[in-house]
Amino acid sequence: MSIRMRKALSDLRATPGRTALITLALAIGLWGVGSMLVSYTILTRDLRENHIRTSPPHAVLTSKDFGRLDLVAFRSRPEIESAEFRDLSLQRIEVHPEVWVPLYLFGVDDFDAVRLARQFPLEGRASPPPGTMVIERNGRLISALGVGSRARVRSGSRVLELPISGIVFDPGQSPATQDHRIYGYVDKATYAAMTGEIAGQRLLLRFRNPSTNREVRIATERVLDGLKASGIAVGTHENPPLNEHPHQWQLNTLLFLQGSICLLAFLLAAVLVSQVMAAILARQVRQIGIFKALGASRLGIFTIYGSMIAVLAVVAGMLAIPAALATGFAFARFVATKLNFDILTTSLPLRVHIQLAAAALLLPFLLSLTALFKGIGVPVRDALSDYGVRQDACGKGSPGSTGRFLSSSLLLALRNSLRRKKRLAITVLGTALGVAIFSTGFNVRQSLALLLADVRNGARCDVQVVLRDQVAKERALAPFRSLENVARIETGSCGRGEMQSKEFVMNQGAREISGFPAAGEVNSLMFVARDKSYEGVIALKKEIEEAIGPSDLNVLSVMSQAERTTIISDHLDVILTTILITSFMVLAVSAMGMASATGITIMERTREIGVLRAIGATPERIFRLFAAEGMITSVAGIALGLLGSWPLSIVAASFFGNLVLGKGATLQAAFSVSGFGITLVTTLIFGFLASRIPAQRAVSVSTREALAYE
């Protein structure tokens, strides 16, 4: 081992506590960044790959005239890669006794010849026999359905029983667990018998090698023009985003926010390294002067202190990178479960390992360059005449500090905290940043909670029943006359499947619009409950379902606002919870930075501690002095962070408002009292530990050692 490396290791071993703290902070920051990098690599590739494996359609057309379409000739058009009929009808299915959810029922032409929007068999029959149904696997998580069970499906006024003959995996659909729906697949004959609709009215198209959404739209317009010229009137047409999963927005948001917060934690840790290196170089100015006097070059001295950073980075990397790989894969599996797709990646590309190693080694080194160049650039004369902390470091009036200490330790602690203004500013800002991000997570959750409460309280109804057809008002109301938990029932006419209240459209699904009703006819019943609690509304919905059973009403949907708000909350809960976890990581790193800053201050003032001990200051008083200095820094950072959390919460509320409600919409910024309390208590505990633990060192050094310290 070279002399330079032995010197670097010796300096690190001289302060094992501080070295361990810096290494841990770097490891935590790198672990967070590495986990996000690993999971980002896996998730972005695998979600896209899962979706593309299904051969998703580029266009979906509906028409009652498709019976006249020569599908074989249509497929031969040069721009068409594949085309298939895939009918879709919105029914309802019982997932638990008297608990019904939407059933998206697909009618498949030929299960053995599916080329578009494919499903992958998991259990039972891949091609359901006539009169049976296969369901998408995610539906099992919200139901008691499985292979061999008999599903009760309400189609119009009929309740049908269909055996479940298989389970399939369809990664092209949004998760049943988040949208509270079941996806079912039957053959064309069974579809027509169940729904009473003519099959072959919904056409899926996939074009040859489009690269943009614009190219897809242009190709669709050409197809529409050609069909129109053939006398086929297209009712609706839709172009899903090109090769994009329905919940791609959720994944993108999650990864962007998590990556940003974890990178911030790593940057704080790297700044901590640069601060420690600056303190070490300031302490060893005379040593640097001696090295230069003996002929050492700047490069040689730079190598010594650069080796110290390299050692810290390598050890942190050895701790963090294996953990990042493990948690990155675990987080990817967690997200895949939530979004219902499979993890296909078994090994990471070499570039990911190179990026992790580069982040561990280069970033702490780059952020420390300024301190390194400043430290080794001190002239020999100035370096040899340096005697540690200068007299003016105490500020004006410092000779009277001892007497003031005896009369007011808090005032002296405050003045001492201002000695190193730059270090104080960095420490306070780092703490404030961690506090602000952590508190903002709670405030955004509160904003969402208030929004969902407004949706529930401001709705015209608690439960809405939408009928497929317009019927006489008295006929529609008849089955529900005896319900007890009903304050009133309002009637009206609406687009089928649409809630008549403030709501959010997370997925368009299969929307049908009814024609103009005749006088005295309705297709929407809005129930206002007497008991508006969540349990009361759900109980009312169950009573409504029981009343619908023996009736002849052709019901399209039954939905409560309580369930609607739950669906919205489920979409965002994963994102907000994960943000709080990673925000806590930033908070922990900032607390380590505060502890390190206190430790550096104590190291620089070791001789001062000896003087205080020599003139009669007790270890208890010295401990209280440095603990008070640490708490002053901590409280300043906490106060600034809590103040900064409000404007940050406004920005975050606006961001999530656009995400949830659409572009230009707003989400009201809210203050979370419980979040404030948790943030305050957590940060004060961190501040208490970050000030007390380093302060113990101040009383552990003997008077003789302290006075001899340079």
Side-chain angles (χ1 to χ4, degrees):
M1 183 183 297
S2 67
I3 296 176
R4 293 190 181 100
M5 181 57 72
R6 284 204 296 267
K7 158 70 175 168
L9 294 176
S10 176
D11 287 344
L12 291 175
R13 285 197 298 266
T15 53
R18 185 182 63 205
T19 300
L21 188 67
I22 299 169
T23 305
L24 181 60
L26 267 180
I28 291 176
L30 180 61
W31 168 57
V33 171
S35 296
M36 287 302 105
L37 178 61
V38 170
S39 59
Y40 174 84
T41 303
I42 298 170
L43 291 172
T44 52
R45 183 169 62 179
D46 288 3
L47 179 62
R48 175 182 171 83
E49 182 63 25
N50 272 259
H51 187 58
I52 289 180
R53 284 173 63 193
T54 67
S55 294
H58 296 145
V60 181
L61 282 59
T62 61
S63 173
K64 295 183 178 180
D65 300 332
F66 278 147
R68 291 183 287 166
L69 177 66
D70 184 346
L71 191 59
V72 175
F74 183 78
R75 286 170 175 163
S76 66
R77 294 179 57 159
E79 73 273 23
I80 301 297
E81 177 183 300
S82 53
E84 295 177 13
F85 287 116
R86 182 74 49 80
D87 292 293
L88 171 62
S89 178
L90 180 60
Q91 307 295 332
R92 297 197 304 136
I93 187 169
E94 189 179 42
V95 291
H96 296 288
E98 294 305 329
V99 178
W100 298 76
V101 300
L103 168 66
Y104 281 60
L105 184 67
F106 293 93
V108 182
D109 225 1
D110 183 355
F111 279 90
D112 296 325
V114 169
R115 296 292 181 269
L116 281 172
R118 290 181 292 183
Q119 307 86 43
F120 305 98
L122 295 180
E123 299 178 24
R125 301 285 294 271
S127 301
T132 69
M133 177 173 62
V134 298
I135 62 171
E136 210 283 324
R137 69 177 189 181
N138 206 233
R140 292 183 296 181
L141 300 179
I142 62 169
S143 71
L145 302 173
V147 176
S149 63
R150 299 183 67 85
R152 298 184 69 209
V153 177
R154 194 185 301 276
S155 178
S157 59
R158 301 176 300 160
V159 176
L160 310 173
E161 286 197 2
L162 269 79
I164 303 297
S165 57
I167 304 295
V168 298
F169 170 43
D170 188 348
Q173 305 295 345
S174 58
T177 50
Q178 292 193 10
D179 289 334
H180 294 227
R181 62 179 61 156
I182 299 291
Y183 300 99
Y185 308 83
V186 296
D187 62 29
K188 187 164 69 171
T190 303
Y191 176 87
M194 289 180 63
T195 64
E197 301 173 3
I198 299 174
Q201 296 188 350
R202 183 171 178 267
L203 182 64
L204 308 185
L205 303 178
R206 187 171 175 86
F207 301 111
R208 293 190 186 278
N209 305 319
S211 57
T212 64
N213 287 307
R214 183 174 179 274
E215 291 181 6
V216 169
R217 289 193 297 270
I218 292 173
T220 303
E221 291 297 329
R222 290 174 181 166
V223 168
L224 293 175
D225 291 340
L227 292 174
K228 183 177 180 180
S230 302
I232 297 175
V234 175
T236 64
H237 70 276
E238 178 188 359
N239 295 118
L242 182 63
N243 297 328
E244 185 173 303
H245 188 272
H247 279 36
Q248 185 72 49
W249 65 272
Q250 198 174 13
L251 178 63
N252 292 343
T253 302
L254 179 64
L255 293 176
F256 171 75
L257 293 175
Q258 296 304 102
S260 300
I261 294 174
C262 289
L263 179 60
L264 181 60
F266 186 46
L267 287 174
L268 286 176
V271 169
L272 171 59
V273 173
S274 69
Q275 290 293 302
V276 171
M277 290 307 303
I280 292 175
L281 287 163
R283 173 188 170 188
Q284 297 187 5
V285 168
R286 296 188 72 193
Q287 291 186 30
I288 294 172
I290 294 172
F291 290 154
K292 288 184 175 181
L294 293 175
S297 65
R298 288 193 176 190
L299 178 60
I301 299 172
F302 183 89
T303 304
I304 294 174
Y305 297 100
S307 299
M308 295 177 66
I309 299 175
V311 169
L312 293 172
V314 168
V315 174
M318 291 173 63
L319 294 173
I321 291 178
L325 294 173
T327 54
F329 270 97
F331 183 70
R333 286 190 291 269
F334 167 75
V335 174
T337 300
K338 291 294 183 181
L339 297 185
N340 190 33
F341 66 96
D342 286 341
I343 295 298
L344 306 175
T345 300
T346 57
S347 60
L348 293 170
L350 178 61
R351 61 175 176 81
V352 176
H353 297 277
I354 294 174
Q355 289 169 348
L356 288 173
L361 293 172
L362 294 181
L363 196 55
F365 185 80
L366 291 175
L367 290 178
S368 301
L369 279 178
T370 301
L372 288 174
F373 285 131
K374 182 179 178 181
I376 66 176
V378 179
V380 177
R381 179 179 176 182
D382 293 343
L384 292 177
S385 61
D386 184 86
Y387 286 93
V389 179
R390 294 175 176 80
Q391 186 68 16
D392 60 1
C394 297
K396 295 181 180 180
S398 62
S401 294
T402 303
R404 194 176 295 276
F405 166 76
L406 296 174
S407 60
S408 177
S409 59
L410 183 59
L411 179 59
L412 182 57
L414 180 60
R415 293 181 62 182
N416 286 340
S417 299
L418 298 173
R419 287 183 173 188
R420 300 286 190 179
K421 294 182 176 61
K422 182 178 179 181
R423 181 186 303 154
L424 176 66
I426 293 175
T427 305
V428 170
L429 288 175
T431 303
L433 197 57
V435 172
I437 294 175
F438 191 60
S439 181
T440 296
F442 288 104
N443 289 342
V444 173
R445 290 182 71 92
Q446 181 66 16
S447 294
L448 180 62
L450 292 178
L451 175 66
L452 299 183
D454 288 344
V455 171
R456 287 193 298 267
N457 299 332
R460 288 177 54 189
C461 65
D462 295 300
V463 181
Q464 183 182 23
V465 176
V466 179
L467 308 178
R468 288 185 182 274
D469 306 304
Q470 303 286 343
V471 300
K473 180 177 178 179
E474 288 302 316
R475 178 189 167 196
L477 291 173
F480 312 108
R481 295 290 189 186
S482 61
L483 299 183
E484 296 182 358
N485 185 27
V486 176
R488 67 180 187 277
I489 304 176
E490 299 179 5
T491 60
S493 297
C494 66
R496 296 176 182 173
E498 297 177 283
M499 293 291 291
Q500 293 298 292
S501 58
K502 183 180 179 182
E503 68 166 322
F504 315 99
V505 181
M506 304 303 292
N507 190 301
Q508 290 288 347
R511 178 181 292 182
E512 304 171 23
I513 304 297
S514 61
F516 291 103
E521 292 188 339
V522 299
N523 77 334
S524 175
L525 304 177
M526 291 159 281
F527 295 78
V528 179
R530 297 181 188 276
D531 178 7
K532 289 183 171 292
S533 67
Y534 179 84
E535 293 77 12
V537 171
I538 295 301
L540 173 60
K541 181 176 180 288
K542 188 172 183 179
E543 292 177 14
I544 292 172
E545 294 283 9
E546 292 173 350
I548 290 173
S551 74
D552 62 349
L553 294 179
N554 191 343
V555 176
L556 175 66
S557 67
V558 180
M559 178 63 73
S560 70
Q561 283 295 345
E563 291 173 304
R564 179 70 66 178
T565 54
T566 300
I567 291 172
I568 299 168
S569 180
D570 288 347
H571 278 83
L572 294 178
D573 193 58
V574 176
I575 294 175
L576 295 176
T577 300
T578 314
I579 287 174
L580 284 178
I581 294 173
T582 49
S583 298
F584 185 81
M585 181 190 303
V586 178
L587 196 62
V589 172
S590 64
M592 292 178 188
M594 185 165 47
S596 178
T598 304
I600 291 171
T601 299
I602 291 171
M603 177 193 72
E604 292 176 341
R605 292 162 57 191
T606 302
R607 295 188 71 188
E608 181 183 325
I609 294 171
V611 173
L612 291 173
R613 295 278 293 271
I615 63 175
T618 64
E620 182 183 357
R621 283 182 175 271
I622 295 173
F623 175 83
R624 286 206 306 264
L625 172 64
F626 285 101
E629 291 180 25
M631 283 304 296
I632 287 171
T633 304
S634 175
V635 169
I638 293 171
L640 184 61
L642 291 174
L643 289 174
S645 67
W646 182 244
L648 189 59
S649 297
I650 294 175
V651 174
S654 175
F655 172 81
F656 278 100
N658 289 328
L659 183 69
V660 179
L661 306 175
K663 189 174 182 180
T666 58
L667 183 64
Q668 182 182 358
F671 177 74
S672 172
V673 177
S674 60
F676 176 83
I678 293 172
T679 303
L680 186 61
V681 171
T682 303
T683 51
L684 285 176
I685 291 174
F686 276 179
F688 181 86
L689 296 175
S691 59
R692 257 62 179 177
I693 294 175
Q696 290 289 347
R697 183 181 180 277
V699 298
S700 64
V701 182
S702 66
T703 303
R704 182 180 64 82
E705 292 174 338
L707 290 174
Y709 182 85
E710 291 188 4

